[in-house]
Amino acid sequence: MTGGKSVQERYRRLKESALLREEDLYRRPVVRVGMATCGIAAGAAPVKEAFTRFIEEKGIDARVVEVGCMGHCYAEPLAIISKPGFPALCYGYLDEDLVERLVEDFLLNDDPCYEFALVALETNDVFPTFSDFPRGVHEQKIVLEHCGFIDPGDIDQYIATGGYGALAGALAGEPAAVLERVKESHLRGRGGAGFPAGLKWEAAVRAGGSEKYVICNADEGDPGAFMDRSILESCPHQVIEGMLLCAYAVGAAQGYLYIRAEYPLAVKRVQLALEQAREKGLLGTAILGTPFNCDLEIFMGSGAFVCGESSALVRSMEGLMGIPATRPPRLAESGFRGRPTVLNNVKTFAYIPPIINRGVDWFRSIGTAENPGTAVFSLVGKVSHTGLVEVPMGTTLRELIEDVGEGVPNDKAFKAAQIGGPSGGCLPEASLDIPIDFDSLQEAGAIMGSGGLVVLDEDDCMVAIARYFLEFTQQESCGKCTFCRLGTKHMLDILTAITEGRGEPEHLEILAQLAGDVKEGSLCNLGKTAPNPILTTLRYFREEYEAHIKEKRCPALMCKDLIVYYIEPSLCSKLCSVCVGSCPTEAIYTRTDGLKAIDQDKCTKCDNCLKTCPPDYNAVIKLSPPELLAEKEGKGS
Amino acid sequence: MSLIEGEEELIRNGVAEALLDHDRARESLIPLLLKVQGKLGYLPALAMELIAEALQIPAVDVYGLATFYNRFRLNPPGKHQIQVCMGTACYMVGGDIALDCFERRLEIGEDETTPDREFSLERVACVGCCTMAPVVVVDELVEGHVTPTRVDGILLSFGREIPKSAEKTEQEGENSP
Amino acid sequence: MSKKVTITIDGREIEAHEGEKVLWVALDNSIFIPNLCALKEKEHPSGSCRLCYVQVEGRPEPVTACTLAAKEGLSVQTRSPQVDRLVKSAFELLLSNHRLGCGRCPRRKSCALLKIARERGLKMRLSRLSALELDVEIDESPETFAFDRSRCLLCGRCVWICQEVARVGALGFTNRGITRRVGTFREVSLAQSPCTECGLCVEACPSGALYFKEKSDDK
């Protein structure tokens, strides 16, 4: 492209002014409050308000800035305080009292209250940084690099980190150079299947024609995965820059971000980011003064998990039901409006600017040969440090769960890692040493999927979890093809029967057959992967199915129809009646001897009494199979 | 359901206004439906017919879309919307228990609205606050760690009496004819 | 015109247009492949019934014939153990959601399911699955025909004909997943819908879901 020099010059001016603003900002103390959806849910809004109020009351010259999610969701609300002369420090579990103290002691006086600090952001002599913790040793951030550190509502903060520099550099050269780099990087699409992004782009280039589209799939619907939302809320510009680089490489002048309407904050922040990029001449016509034109728009998805499937997503953008289409053609040949279309996941696009900036060798030095780069997970469930993590491909599940997540809390035993959501599988303890990458996970029966990782412990029933996912896919099946519409329904019915104690010995065989047929026979990947939760639990936890079917017993004491609640008289105290008050159905009564007992006819098994019974007694227990009750009652009372 | 006076006017205006911002093309269908629902709270039959007419597509296609996507609703929602998250993390720690409690207290099932139109109850797939599971979203406010006791607390905060016994208290309607 | 190619189906060499879907090449040459949702006039195959699986030489997994394009040298077997297993499974899944009792069905002489059962030696009853609950209301509101949803297989032929050929737009798909159905705007009866009773949908129906009141198989 002509005028390479003037592009770079324009970008240099943008960056200079951004750096000046940043320098000016950090001349005084700055408080960055984590305000992604997770932070707000944990109470970040009143925390931010408290910082602002106390700073004003005390007449301190300091700024309060909204940032996105740092990934340490377990400790939210979180804030980073930077004060000249001190390393930037991150504080967690904030509330109004702690905020008041931090403002008084740290901002007004010079005591950083190290006892409340979680971590320092830069190396110093006093306080540990991320790399001093097991999590920091494993974590390597590419996609999440800026998330939680910059204000997503201020484009200058992204530019100050070097943002849009990859775009400027690319525009100074030929589109083919961008494509070449992405191909050489061996970046695999992060939407689930791991198809090489470069090959997808190349197909769109080859398809020819003047009208092409770039679409970012942010229709994240996996229950238990929220990284796409978090990225869009925390660093939308990195995704936008990635999309622009793709548009330049394939020759598209229009792109869309397909975002779930259930993510209102992400929609709002992306909208603002697009406006700011347009104002700076980074989006729209004559980008950075070059002949390259490209505009991006938001399309709001209306809640259909199947729209994560690319052909269904495109159909929904065309005003149709989100129903997958038969292939060929592929989207790269005939996609949105029948034109060549590149559709990639949020994370895939977010990798592009760093790859262009730092080069192919750098990217391929991270991760494994076949799976370069990092894996982003939302780590949730029975794990101490829940949150958003990014580790190099090839890290083992054990490292991820035990080091990064700090293991299973409450001295419970680990049972399984559920990876890849409804399309993924449950891997047992024995599989924990497999490296995380597309191929190894698939071999073990799970999939990388979009990166949800739910840790399950001894209290979680594997039949119930398989049933839960089947219920989800069955509800979210578009209903078009026979195998998915009816196959998932029959599989769900069988699993329901098993969890309710109506399982028959032949059910396991039928379940395995159906699962195999649905996997092979379904039209799209939603159907083809729907049986994975069943197949993996049957493979690794068959004995739990058998206990449900043969003994009508739920080993994890989770399936309501196979358990009863019982108050152990030898543990119960006459002096306490917490459980009586906590029972929403008045099923608990006081016996003549003052101890408590449960009227089984009234009990809804809501678990409230077990939760509220004071730890001194722990008198409420669950029994399975329910027949054990007669035995207990015979002995007790 | 028949429309009360003034309602028809409201619907017609709502649709006309939404149509101003969009091309009259099939592609605009979902954005239009979202916008109209944003205004009216639901998609009345008349609105779907007007949109079908404007885009020159069969009304059954508009209805098909409205019944395909989770987000669209064909009936007016309650004044307070309670969404119980059924993401994996929430389910594993008792999201279904929270849903049960709301159903029991409000005496409605999921996707239903109380007869006084005060509350509507629905289950939603992951709202992305897995670290605070189980999560309930009440009128866009996220409530974390929702136990049965907290369910009662939430309803009490809206002035909903929690019956202390199984007997139901009859309440007289305020607007007598 | 596209160029001619030679493909092999079950050992028979057959001339076909390049790109033509193998399902139609086979059917035009009197080779039976089970199918419900396929419509020759429809440019893009729906691929929803999953019954037309065939085995392609050199490919491990069965492929649907409605999406498989003819090209020079393509060799296809209409039967293989894998194909038979998938077809049997899909067939039983459809039956589990279909009102049986063929004796009383108006289409008992021209039913596509019966034909598939005959050709492939499949039973018209459930072996491993339980029958699902059916929607048994019958819409008898049109003068000339009726619509019995409990026999509908969701192949979508009627919807396509109603919208693309008759250009009436009375019928459409509504809802999602297991509740997906062929319906009308707000599920009103056909008489209350824009239906003109042209009857094209009835002719397109492969099962006993849509049938003429006067011309059913026993008249």
Side-chain angles (χ1 to χ4, degrees), chain C:
Chain C
M1 258 338 262
S2 61
K3 75 173 198 209
K4 293 269 186 171
V5 294
T6 306
I7 66 169
T8 314
I9 304 179
D10 291 345
R12 245 176 84 188
E13 285 195 359
I14 295 169
E15 202 166 78
H17 292 288
E18 186 170 44
E20 195 182 349
K21 300 298 189 282
V22 168
L23 176 65
W24 302 114
V25 180
L27 294 176
D28 290 348
N29 286 278
S30 311
I31 299 170
F32 181 73
I33 294 175
N35 71 90
L36 287 175
C37 65
L39 277 159
K40 203 171 189 176
E41 308 77 40
K42 205 173 157 187
E43 187 198 346
H44 201 76
S46 142
S48 61
C49 73
R50 315 310 284 169
L51 286 169
C52 66
Y53 276 106
V54 294
Q55 198 78 39
V56 178
E57 203 179 279
R59 283 166 81 167
E61 314 255 301
V63 183
T64 46
C66 67
T67 55
L68 180 63
K71 62 175 185 194
E72 189 58 46
L74 180 78
S75 178
V76 169
Q77 295 288 331
T78 59
R79 305 283 295 266
S80 77
Q82 264 172 298
V83 165
D84 287 355
R85 179 172 51 78
L86 282 180
V87 173
K88 187 179 170 200
S89 190
F91 189 79
E92 192 183 0
L93 284 169
L94 286 168
L95 278 195
S96 74
N97 200 33
H98 176 79
R99 182 150 65 101
L100 290 167
C102 301
R104 288 183 305 280
C105 177
R107 279 249 194 204
R108 63 178 180 272
K109 290 176 189 150
S110 56
C111 168
L113 283 181
L114 281 171
K115 177 163 189 197
I116 295 167
R118 259 198 317 274
E119 294 275 350
R120 290 288 164 103
L122 299 169
K123 301 255 181 337
M124 287 300 282
R125 63 180 153 77
L126 301 173
S127 61
R128 52 176 186 172
L129 304 179
S130 348
L132 298 175
E133 220 174 281
L134 292 170
D135 184 357
V136 281
E137 44 143 349
I138 300 177
D139 183 356
E140 293 192 301
S141 67
E143 249 173 62
T144 51
F145 69 94
F147 183 18
D148 175 0
R149 282 208 176 74
S150 65
R151 292 200 160 101
C152 174
L153 301 163
L154 295 181
C155 71
R157 294 164 66 100
C158 57
V159 171
W160 191 79
I161 297 276
C162 182
Q163 300 216 348
E164 304 298 325
V165 179
R167 303 222 157 251
V168 173
L171 290 175
F173 278 114
T174 65
N175 293 290
R176 193 180 70 202
I178 195 72
T179 59
R180 177 172 163 91
R181 59 192 239 150
V182 171
T184 55
F185 179 62
R186 298 178 63 225
E187 312 296 354
V188 296
S189 70
L190 279 162
Q192 291 171 278
S193 80
C195 174
T196 58
E197 297 202 26
C198 69
L200 288 176
C201 59
V202 184
E203 280 159 24
C205 181
S207 76
L210 283 157
Y211 55 93
F212 289 115
K213 290 174 177 170
E214 295 303 320
K215 271 196 292 186
S216 65
D217 288 356
D218 47 10
K219 294 274 159 73

Side-chain angles (χ1 to χ4, degrees), chain A residues 166-439:
Chain A
L167 179 67
L171 291 182
E174 293 298 320
V178 178
L179 176 65
E180 203 46 43
R181 278 214 168 171
V182 174
K183 263 175 70 185
E184 276 176 21
S185 74
H186 290 202
L187 170 68
R188 297 174 71 166
R190 290 324 200 237
F195 189 80
L199 295 184
K200 209 184 243 187
W201 295 17
E202 191 173 44
V205 172
R206 285 221 188 107
S210 54
E211 197 182 327
K212 293 177 187 177
Y213 297 97
V214 172
I215 299 173
C216 174
N217 183 353
D219 191 45
E220 182 175 61
D222 274 26
F226 54 90
M227 65 288 284
D228 291 351
R229 188 212 68 210
S230 202
I231 293 164
L232 291 176
E233 286 176 358
S234 307
C235 192
H237 286 289
Q238 191 168 333
V239 180
I240 292 170
E241 188 182 5
M243 288 182 73
L244 287 170
L245 285 162
C246 173
Y248 184 62
V250 304
Q254 179 69 42
Y256 297 90
L257 292 110
Y258 189 103
I259 309 176
R260 285 175 77 191
E262 283 88 343
Y263 285 174
L265 188 62
V267 170
K268 207 173 103 188
R269 290 200 176 149
V270 171
Q271 194 70 55
L272 180 65
L274 291 174
E275 279 162 27
Q276 293 182 345
R278 230 170 261 133
E279 266 167 37
K280 297 262 180 201
L282 293 162
L283 182 68
T285 45
I287 293 176
L288 285 171
T290 67
F292 174 53
N293 305 326
C294 181
D295 209 349
L296 302 178
E297 269 176 60
I298 293 175
F299 187 93
M300 281 204 278
S302 303
F305 179 69
V306 63
C307 286
E309 203 275 347
S310 52
S311 64
L313 183 149
V314 166
R315 285 176 137 233
S316 86
M317 285 180 60
E318 291 171 342
L320 302 166
M321 282 183 179
I323 286 179
T326 52
R327 288 179 190 164
R330 298 200 165 267
L331 291 189
E333 293 144 19
S334 171
F336 184 51
R337 296 178 181 157
R339 308 290 179 181
T341 302
V342 175
L343 190 144
N344 278 128
N345 170 270
V346 172
K347 295 177 286 291
T348 315
F349 283 122
Y351 278 109
I352 306 295
I355 289 174
I356 300 293
N357 263 333
R358 290 184 230 175
V360 169
D361 293 338
W362 163 80
F363 184 71
R364 290 181 61 178
S365 72
I366 301 162
T368 65
E370 295 299 310
N371 292 268
T374 54
V376 183
F377 283 102
S378 54
L379 188 57
V380 295
K382 309 289 178 61
V383 59
S384 301
H385 283 190
T386 53
L388 214 56
V389 301
E390 183 170 4
V391 293
M393 289 275 188
T395 306
T396 65
L397 277 171
R398 191 182 299 282
E399 289 167 326
L400 187 64
I401 293 166
E402 292 178 3
D403 294 346
V404 179
E406 304 224 333
V408 178
N410 307 327
D411 296 322
K412 297 279 184 180
F414 169 89
K415 188 187 268 182
Q418 206 290 334
I419 304 181
S423 311
C426 295
L427 302 182
E429 166 83 31
S431 302
L432 281 187
D433 291 310
I434 63 166
I436 294 167
D437 63 60
F438 288 101
D439 313 301

Side-chain angles (χ1 to χ4, degrees), chain A residues 37 41-42 73 222-224 226 229 260-262 299-300 302-304 306-307 316-323 336-337 380 382 386-387 454 456 460 464-465 468-469 471-472 476 478 558 560 584-586 604 606-608, chain B residues 26-31 34 61 64-65 67-72 86-89 91-94 96-97 100-101 104-105 110 123-132 140 142-144 147-149 152 163-166:
Chain A
T37 297
C73 308
D222 274 26
F226 54 90
R229 188 212 68 210
R260 285 175 77 191
E262 283 88 343
F299 187 93
M300 281 204 278
S302 303
V306 63
C307 286
S316 86
M317 285 180 60
E318 291 171 342
L320 302 166
M321 282 183 179
I323 286 179
F336 184 51
R337 296 178 181 157
V380 295
K382 309 289 178 61
T386 53
V454 185
L456 306 173
D460 297 320
I465 191 87
Y468 163 78
F469 282 116
E471 184 176 40
F472 180 84
E476 293 296 333
C478 78
M558 185 174 170
K560 276 191 185 175
T585 55
E586 303 199 321
T604 57
C606 74
D607 209 46
N608 219 24
Chain B
R26 177 93 196 203
E27 267 177 27
S28 310
L29 186 48
I30 291 181
L34 281 174
D61 282 10
L65 235 68
T67 53
F68 183 89
Y69 292 100
N70 294 336
R71 192 148 183 99
F72 299 122
M86 282 292 166
T88 319
Y91 171 76
M92 294 318 286
V93 293
D96 54 333
I97 290 173
D100 277 353
C101 289
R104 191 163 50 237
R105 287 298 187 226
E110 59 179 273
R123 67 156 71 198
V124 289
C126 197
V127 293
C129 301
C130 311
T131 58
M132 293 164 59
E140 301 198 341
V142 179
E143 296 264 358
T147 58
T149 318
D152 289 351
K164 206 46 223 168
S165 71

Side-chain angles (χ1 to χ4, degrees), chain A residues 557-609:
Chain A
L557 302 173
M558 185 174 170
C559 294
K560 276 191 185 175
D561 293 282
L562 301 181
I563 57 167
V564 283
Y565 282 78
Y566 175 68
I567 297 173
E568 182 64 54
S570 61
L571 298 172
C572 183
S573 163
K574 286 178 195 171
L575 305 173
C576 164
S577 57
V578 174
C579 57
V580 179
S582 79
C583 179
T585 55
E586 303 199 321
I588 304 183
Y589 59 93
T590 307
R591 310 192 314 188
T592 44
D593 59 6
L595 300 180
K596 312 298 172 296
I598 299 174
D599 178 346
Q600 298 296 337
D601 293 337
K602 283 189 188 169
C603 176
T604 57
K605 299 169 187 175
C606 74
D607 209 46
N608 219 24
C609 52

